[in-house]
């Protein structure tokens, strides 16, 4: 656990030190769970969005995009169920005055049981050596089985309590498990209450129920209310999808773990409209497709599916794609079969008929929906987690030294190529380097750097994940060649300036990610 905390701390301070992410309004001591993206952060974030948009919209004839407003008619949120059911169960500790999510406290208790079981297994592994059968041990060792059975029983009870909004049982669980406040150490809890996660504001100058506006807690509703507009104007036939990238806002109670859980964040959502009865087929289809998208960037062992135990108020089936963050496997993306819930609800509250005439079936129906929904910021954190590497390499004198390198897929890297004159105080080198820079800037994001020794400049580029460094030296002035250094292999090749763009462009293009 300490090792994980340490790697997470290193990652968050790296993000700040190298201009990826800053705390919002930091000069005023910051705003909790709100973050700003710096110069490299915004490039990486834009590239992640482009990778998603290209995979979802550009490469599917039957998916189109929209960009809906953040503010929507207040009835939208009544129809969607968010006014009545978008709640987290929370309670306060009376001594520390800290507020917690009841389900998170119980989940953390379950994680501790898991950790205890893992500790027993690790001890046994050491004792039995090569002959150790871990699966068998987990099933048969009374102590391990005790921990795991207890965890499973608590999980089932929590799921039921969450599904039924049984706040009394949630409080009872916290009391029975003797969960204490991490700050005060006391068990002096208030009752569990529901807390709505939507931020609200006022429209115009008239106060009152009618003029309450919500900051959207998901982008999906902008798609649902535009279903008829988009279907008619794009002449799409079912099955087809509508995709959107945009900001969402949630007044999260437990807002921590850096950009994992924020109060203002960005989502990339796609609602796929299908004929009723096709739900399972398309649910399975998108579940597989979305995993493929992740596997182009991340190793298999960092990703897994996790079926939902307690379904959201709209879902008939739901699975998370989880990623192994430094603090464990957590939700990165959700795939939900939402049935006809959303369009039916909007039809009812708006009084407008929202149906589709299916020529093949020769009938009208309310389409069903399978949705894929991923947080841009969580994808950013996953990408940084996977990329952050400390490795021992020889320094200029041949001694071992640690380099920090972000092994980001070149297509997503904030800067694709750094242009470096060998020496700063040689005008003939710097002039040539600027000429090379001008020749490459139109093709991809480049950076010019002449400060410090060349070795330090390479390390700076490694730390922001630049896949290629082009160095201009005295030979360049003679024969028009430069060295191109590869971030991952550290190999340097000498090529003619005229070849540099072609050599790098292919490797940093989005197409590289889509090549099978
Ligand atoms: N329209 C469905 C929906 O919004 P969700 O599971 O609540 O489903 C989808 O959210 C994704 O949005 C999550 O998988 C996660 O990546 C991201 N997300 C949700 N809440 C977030 C938060 N507070 N901070 C950052 N990302 C968040």
């Amino acid at each position: 656990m300490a090792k994980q905390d340490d790697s997470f701390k290193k990652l968050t301070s790296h993000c700040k030190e190298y201009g990826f992410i800053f705390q919002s309004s930091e000069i005023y001591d910051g705003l909790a769970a709100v973050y700003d993206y710096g110069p490299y952060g915004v490039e990486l974030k834009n590239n992640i969005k482009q990778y998603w948009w290209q995979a979802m919209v550009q490469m599917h004839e039957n998916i189109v995009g929209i960009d809906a407003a953040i503010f929507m008619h207040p009835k939208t949120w009544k129809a969607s169920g968010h006014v009545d059911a978008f709640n987290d169960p929370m309670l306060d500790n009376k001594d520390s005055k800290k507020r917690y999510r009841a389900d998170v406290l119980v989940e953390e208790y379950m994680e501790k049981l898991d950790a205890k079981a893992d500790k027993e297994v690790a001890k046994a592994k050491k004792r039995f050596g090569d002959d150790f059968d871990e699966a068998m041990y987990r099933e048969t060792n009374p102590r391990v089985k005790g921990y795991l059975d207890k965890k499973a029983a608590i999980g089932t009870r929590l799921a039921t309590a969450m599904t039924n909004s049984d706040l009394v049982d949630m409080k009872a669980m916290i009391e029975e498990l003797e969960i204490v406040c991490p700050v005060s150490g006391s068990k002096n809890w208030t009752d569990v209450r529901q807390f709505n996660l939507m931020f609200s504001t006022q429209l115009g100058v008239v106060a009152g129920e009618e003029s309450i506006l919500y900051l959207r807690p998901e982008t999906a509703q902008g798609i649902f209310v535009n279903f008829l507009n988009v279907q008619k104007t794009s002449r799409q036939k079912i099955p087809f999808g509508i995709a959107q990238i945009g900001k969402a806002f949630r007044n999260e109670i437990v807002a921590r773990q850096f950009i994992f859980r924020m109060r203002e964040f960005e989502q990339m959502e796609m609602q796929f409209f299908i004929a009723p009865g096709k739900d399972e087929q398309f649910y399975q289809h998108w579940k597989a497709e979305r995993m493929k998208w992740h596997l182009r960037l991340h190793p298999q062992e960092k990703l897994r599916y996790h079926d939902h135990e307690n379904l959201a108020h709209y879902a008939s089936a739901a699975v998370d794609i989880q990623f192994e963050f430094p603090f464990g496997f957590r939700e990165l993306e959700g795939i939900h079969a939402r049935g006809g819930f959303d369009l039916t609800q909007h039809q009812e509250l708006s009084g407008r008929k929202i149906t589709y005439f299916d020529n093949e079936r020769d009938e009208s129906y309310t389409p069903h929906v399978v949705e894929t929904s991923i947080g841009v910021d969580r994808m950013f954190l996953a990408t940084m987690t996977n990329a952050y590497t400390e490795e021992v390499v020889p320094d200029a004198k041949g001694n071992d030294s640690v380099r920090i390198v972000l092994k980001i897929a070149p297509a997503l890297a904030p800067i694709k190529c750094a242009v470096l004159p060998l020496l700063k105080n040689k005008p003939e080198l710097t002039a040539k380097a600027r000429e090379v820079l001008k020749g490459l800037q139109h093709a991809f994001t480049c950076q010019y750097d002449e400060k410090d020794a060349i070795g330090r400049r390479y390390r700076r580029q490694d730390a922001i994940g630049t896949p290629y460094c082009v160095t201009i030296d005295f030979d360049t002035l003679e024969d028009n060649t430069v060295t191109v250094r590869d971030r991952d292999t550290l190999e340097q090749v000498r090529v003619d300036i005229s070849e540099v763009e072609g050599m790098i462009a292919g490797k940093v293009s989005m197409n590289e990610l889509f090549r099978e």
Side-chain angles (χ1 to χ4, degrees):
M1 192 64 187
K3 204 165 150 236
Q4 284 177 3
D5 285 350
D6 194 41
S7 71
F8 191 40
K9 255 190 218 147
K10 279 186 186 172
L11 185 68
T12 51
S13 42
H14 190 85
C15 281
K16 183 175 176 201
E17 189 183 342
Y18 285 91
F20 283 87
I21 296 173
F22 308 120
Q23 176 82 58
S24 159
S25 345
E26 200 188 59
I27 58 167
Y28 294 103
D29 294 334
L31 186 63
V34 185
Y35 291 91
D36 299 337
Y37 285 80
Y40 301 122
V42 69
E43 295 286 349
L44 173 56
K45 197 177 183 209
N46 283 341
N47 293 340
I48 289 172
K49 289 193 267 187
Q50 196 198 331
Y51 172 47
W52 185 86
W53 194 264
Q54 207 162 317
M56 301 300 274
V57 180
Q58 187 179 321
M59 292 172 66
H60 286 97
E61 266 180 73
N62 62 346
I63 299 182
V64 292
I66 63 162
D67 182 14
I70 286 171
F71 287 141
M72 299 181 72
H73 193 286
K75 276 192 188 167
T76 308
W77 306 110
K78 190 77 191 151
S80 69
H82 284 84
V83 170
D84 298 317
F86 194 53
N87 299 319
D88 273 346
M90 53 130 229
L91 77 175
D92 295 350
N93 182 270
K94 291 181 198 162
D95 299 319
S96 67
K97 311 271 185 272
K98 293 272 174 206
R99 183 162 288 179
Y100 299 92
R101 254 173 69 176
D103 56 327
V104 171
L105 286 178
V106 176
E107 277 165 8
E108 282 171 356
Y109 184 90
M110 288 160 63
E111 276 171 23
K112 281 186 194 147
L113 291 173
D114 239 350
K116 282 184 184 166
D118 286 349
K119 206 169 159 191
E120 291 291 330
V121 171
K123 269 200 282 182
K125 210 178 207 167
K126 221 170 162 186
R127 215 168 44 238
F128 295 115
D130 287 347
D131 296 336
F132 185 59
D133 181 342
E134 182 173 331
M136 164 91 89
Y137 193 79
R138 281 181 180 276
E139 272 173 33
T140 53
N141 179 274
R143 205 188 299 232
V144 173
K145 198 165 163 338
Y147 290 137
L148 296 178
D149 286 351
K150 185 171 179 191
K151 182 192 156 199
I154 296 171
T156 310
R157 186 168 161 193
L158 178 64
T160 311
M162 290 289 283
T163 309
N164 301 337
S165 281
D166 188 344
L167 305 183
V168 174
D169 197 43
M170 266 182 237
K171 172 82 187 285
M173 286 174 88
I174 286 168
E175 282 173 344
E176 282 167 36
L177 299 173
E178 302 194 337
I179 294 175
V180 298
C181 166
V183 176
S184 68
S186 87
K187 288 179 252 171
N188 196 6
W189 297 109
T190 62
D191 284 342
V192 180
R193 282 173 293 150
Q194 290 290 19
F195 178 84
N196 195 286
L197 297 183
M198 282 195 294
F199 284 104
S200 61
T201 183
Q202 256 350 99
L203 175 68
V205 287
V206 192
E209 275 290 298
E210 278 302 293
S211 59
I212 285 185
L213 279 191
Y214 295 103
L215 297 188
R216 67 181 177 197
E218 61 170 14
T219 56
Q221 299 305 322
I223 290 178
F224 294 129
V225 300
N226 275 300
F227 169 77
L228 291 174
N229 286 336
V230 175
Q231 194 270 319
K232 281 185 187 138
T233 53
S234 64
R235 293 177 297 116
Q236 287 286 347
K237 288 195 170 63
I238 275 180
F240 79 96
I242 305 178
Q244 176 170 215
I245 299 178
K247 288 269 186 171
F249 305 83
R250 295 183 189 178
N251 199 358
E252 299 281 2
I253 303 163
V254 182
R256 50 172 195 212
Q257 288 163 332
F258 196 35
I259 56 168
F260 181 80
R261 197 176 299 286
M262 301 156 87
R263 296 205 164 103
E264 173 179 341
F265 58 101
E266 220 170 342
Q267 287 187 315
M268 306 189 278
E269 296 200 294
M270 192 277 298
Q271 327 303 132
F272 204 68
F273 297 93
I274 56 177
K278 297 275 184 184
D279 306 54
E280 177 62 15
Q281 177 194 333
F282 284 107
Y283 174 65
Q284 294 302 340
H285 170 81
W286 282 109
K287 196 174 148 178
E289 276 298 301
R290 292 304 303 149
M291 185 58 106
K292 265 196 230 161
W293 185 87
H294 289 284
L295 284 170
R296 293 196 195 106
L297 291 176
H298 300 141
Q300 180 111 47
E301 64 272 16
K302 289 248 163 216
L303 294 158
R304 70 180 188 196
Y305 290 118
H306 173 78
D307 285 313
H308 279 213
E309 275 152 13
N310 39 45
L311 294 173
H313 59 271
Y314 50 75
S316 60
V319 67
D320 291 340
I321 293 178
Q322 292 189 331
F323 178 83
E324 191 178 19
F325 292 98
F327 38 85
F329 273 98
R330 294 284 187 285
E331 174 184 349
L332 172 57
E333 167 155 12
I335 295 118
H336 313 125
R338 300 175 71 126
F341 174 83
D342 305 278
L343 294 186
T344 308
Q345 284 290 104
H346 286 302
Q347 175 164 281
E348 238 161 64
L349 266 92
S350 67
R352 294 275 293 274
K353 197 166 158 214
I354 309 181
T355 51
Y356 170 83
F357 184 76
D358 190 323
N359 281 316
E360 273 173 35
R361 291 189 175 199
D362 196 25
E363 60 171 351
S364 249
Y365 53 75
T366 304
H368 281 198
V369 171
V370 170
E371 133 183 292
T372 73
S373 175
I374 174 169
V376 180
D377 314 86
R378 251 179 228 190
M379 187 59 197
F380 188 108
L381 186 58
T383 307
M384 289 296 275
T385 303
N386 200 36
Y388 184 92
T389 313
E390 287 178 9
E391 58 185 26
V392 177
V393 290
D395 65 12
K397 291 180 187 146
N399 299 323
D400 279 355
S401 72
V402 176
R403 78 159 178 156
I404 294 173
V405 51
L406 291 186
K407 295 193 171 179
I408 302 177
L412 300 189
I415 305 292
K416 309 298 188 207
C417 166
V419 179
L420 317 169
L422 187 63
L423 297 169
K424 182 184 173 183
N425 50 5
K426 294 283 173 200
E428 60 276 37
L429 289 184
T430 53
K432 188 71 181 172
R434 290 214 175 267
E435 190 187 306
V436 172
L437 175 76
K438 267 219 151 60
L440 297 176
Q441 265 174 331
H442 69 277
F444 32 74
T445 48
C446 298
Q447 188 173 77
Y448 176 84
D449 190 5
E450 58 179 26
K451 192 171 174 283
D452 299 323
I454 192 75
R456 286 187 69 178
R457 280 182 272 163
Y458 284 151
R459 292 293 166 87
R460 266 205 298 269
Q461 294 302 327
D462 288 344
I464 59 167
T466 307
Y468 297 101
C469 288
V470 172
T471 306
I472 287 81
D473 56 21
F474 292 104
D475 287 347
T476 312
L477 305 178
E478 300 291 317
D479 60 8
N480 225 32
T481 63
V482 290
T483 58
V484 179
R485 172 189 182 266
D486 183 299
R487 177 194 71 196
D488 299 335
T489 63
L490 297 176
E491 242 174 76
Q492 300 199 16
V493 289
R494 193 132 204 127
V495 295
D496 195 88
I497 289 175
S498 61
E499 291 169 27
V500 175
E501 183 186 329
M503 180 181 165
I504 297 178
K507 292 181 179 153
V508 301
S509 142
M510 256 330 144
N511 291 345
E512 267 308 291
L513 289 177
F514 293 109
R515 217 181 288 283
E516 288 300 330

